[in-house]
Amino acid sequence: MAKKGAVVFKCSECGAVHPKWLGRCPDCGQWNTLQEFIQDPNAVSAKLVGGTLAQKARPVPLATVQAQEAGRLQTGIGEFDRALGGGATKRSAILLGGEPGIGKSTLLIQAAANLSASQEGRILYASGEESASQIKGRADRLGLNSGKIEILCATRLEDILDALDKLNPVFVVVDSIQTVYSVEGGIIPGTVNQLKYCSNELIGWVKERDSVLVMTAHVTKDGNIAGPKALEHMVDTVLSFERNNDETRFLRALKNRFGSVDELGIFEMGAKGLVEIKDPSAMFITRRDGEQPAGIACAAVFEGSRVFMVEIQALTVPAKASLSRVYSEKIDGARVSRVAAVLEKRAGLRFSDQDIYVNVAGGIRLTESAIDAALAAALYSARSDIPLSNGTALVGELSLAGEIRPVSRVKQRVKTAKSLGYQKIIAPEKCDDAVFVQDIKGMVAAVFASGASGEKNGRKA
């Protein structure tokens, strides 16, 4: 018998295995029927046919390969499909991370119920954290149709793979991957070897089928997915579930081989589960009666294909120690320090002796450079105690030289701001309904023209 990992030759007519190539098969007498295989007990393709032989991989010219557009499953949850890039791609593995209680299981049982109503195939929900009665109770409470959903409450990998082979589902949920273990990787779930081995086996299975695999994952106290970073490299899509308060949830793609990572799905948790917020353009701004307080500026930002109006809040107070600090969670602290340094150098405001606090209303995290102008206006307003006039919005990137630089799709940002009632829109491009500025001094003159002369002790000595 051939050794494990040895190269053997198998007859395509009778299935006989021989240790070396022969022109004619001795068993059936056919010519040129022996094909090269490798005896690999871990090969997924070998397990699928019930044997121990996997065909040896050979390189092929890239020019001869035909590109095919992968099909997608529509989960019926528009914001979920948006974050996935237009739906869940078949033969793909998705990793969904989020803090405990944020709604990962709720989102996936809702998606599974929608797919069970629209797809012909079966749905498998493998849970290692909840019992079948708990999952059924959640589905009934949410009023979901669970007719085609198969529940498997198991943590052993071999049990899950056996169920997959029998059911051949079109949508698979593993909740969570940290609870799955195999005797091949040890007896303790959640170890590095277990995560790598179990994930590799499940991903290998789904790559051979027109199916979608979604695995939930635990996160650390910093919000990062727990376990080896290799787990994120192995899957096709990594989604992060975040929250800003008790109701609003943000679904963001950190990695996506089949779509953009710029799209943002927004949900609201209610009595009937997660509800999509389909038009969130104005949900991150605060409507006030009367004048706007100092330290607040509004920006038009792009998240994927949509424009949001967000409110940036800034506060400056004298530093309590010899070293000033920046406190900012939703905007990178290094960006805040850089904008403050540009204001100190180019606009004459002193921030070096101030502690700076920055927040974003609604809790959304901002990363694009188009918020620089609004951040600068909020810091200038906080330091000088001069509020921006009501109905003012800003768009633009701030350079170290103090220039307000153009950003992508300015006209769409201006149009959205105008439709939401903003009368004065500061932009670095000449377009209708916007005030054109080129540098930080021009922005200050355009935004604070009426109150610049009354600023309070913010100027450098």
Side-chain angles (χ1 to χ4, degrees), residues 7-12 16-26 30-37 58:
V7 175
V8 295
F9 296 86
K10 181 179 179 181
C11 178
S12 60
V17 178
H18 304 281
K20 63 180 181 179
W21 186 86
L22 299 171
R24 182 181 182 184
C25 176
Q30 296 295 321
W31 289 89
N32 298 323
T33 58
L34 297 187
Q35 298 178 358
E36 188 176 7
F37 283 78
R58 296 181 180 276

